[in-house]
Amino acid sequence: MPAVTVTPEEARALIARQMPLIDIRGTDEWRREHIAGARTLPLEHIAHGMSDDSALRAADTVVFHCQSGMRTGNAAEQLSAAVYPAKAVLMQGGLNAWKAAGYPVEADRRQPLPLMRQVQMTAGALALGGTLAGAFLTPAFYCIPGIVGTGLIVAGITGWCGMAKLLAVMPWNQARK
């Protein structure tokens, strides 16, 4: 059965009826901010026919969400298969829509920013800094944005990001409970 989408208001009503809420974002994203009662189960750990709630029935509903609704939308078939025979529903707009509707979230600002945001900020700072240094100091600094761009292309093609690996071992990214 294909997944259907629900608004944050409809998702809230389902959650109030004790339907499970699964956050498919990464654990680092979940630690920083999540909907109260949501379980974290990153998308890469969700497999066909998998359910730790082995007693799911066709009458049951499982609510999935991500940050913006993009990941859940792209993985709709995978999520439906994972909870079969239960019905999978995807919250439109994800956590962003939940907050826009005025619903509360549990936030821990002591947790580091999600790793991909750190990569984006670092890559942007290096590219901007290299460009400015190349323009105002010496053209040799133009190699910095070139190296960063090459690294991003390699990461996009292979799925391996050296900058993310490096940032992940930084002291501020070590697990905090």
Side-chain angles (χ1 to χ4, degrees), residues 103-118:
Y103 299 136
V105 295
E106 292 182 357
D108 183 356
R109 299 295 179 219
R110 295 173 304 151
Q111 298 296 324
L113 290 173
L115 195 54
M116 283 297 93
R117 285 186 57 195
Q118 291 181 48

Side-chain angles (χ1 to χ4, degrees), residues 4-166:
V4 298
T5 58
V6 295
T7 65
E9 294 79 14
E10 293 166 326
R12 189 170 193 212
L14 289 169
I15 296 162
R17 293 188 357 226
Q18 305 305 308
M19 300 299 169
L21 174 63
I22 309 293
D23 187 332
I24 67 165
R25 299 174 305 144
T27 305
D28 58 336
E29 294 173 278
W30 184 87
R31 273 194 206 111
R32 185 154 171 92
E33 182 176 55
H34 61 272
I35 298 169
R39 291 186 0 220
T40 179
L41 186 57
L43 183 58
E44 59 270 14
H45 297 152
I46 296 176
H48 177 77
M50 179 198 107
S51 174
D52 59 2
D53 297 327
S54 57
L56 287 175
R57 302 169 310 219
D60 293 333
T61 301
V62 178
V63 182
F64 290 98
H65 81 88
C66 61
Q67 187 70 41
S68 67
M70 185 73 79
R71 280 179 269 189
T72 52
N74 290 340
E77 286 184 31
Q78 177 185 357
L79 298 173
S80 291
V83 297
Y84 183 82
K87 180 171 111 180
V89 297
L90 315 177
M91 186 169 63
Q92 295 170 350
L95 185 63
N96 293 341
W98 179 271
K99 292 189 304 186
Y103 299 136
V105 295
E106 292 182 357
D108 183 356
R109 299 295 179 219
R110 295 173 304 151
Q111 298 296 324
L113 290 173
L115 195 54
M116 283 297 93
R117 285 186 57 195
Q118 291 181 48
V119 168
Q120 292 165 343
M121 292 179 349
T122 303
L126 286 169
L128 178 62
T131 301
L132 292 174
F136 295 111
L137 300 174
T138 178
F141 282 108
Y142 285 131
C143 70
I144 295 171
I147 292 168
V148 170
T150 302
L152 292 173
I153 291 169
V154 168
I157 292 171
T158 67
W160 184 88
C161 180
M163 189 181 297
K165 299 283 186 196
L166 179 62

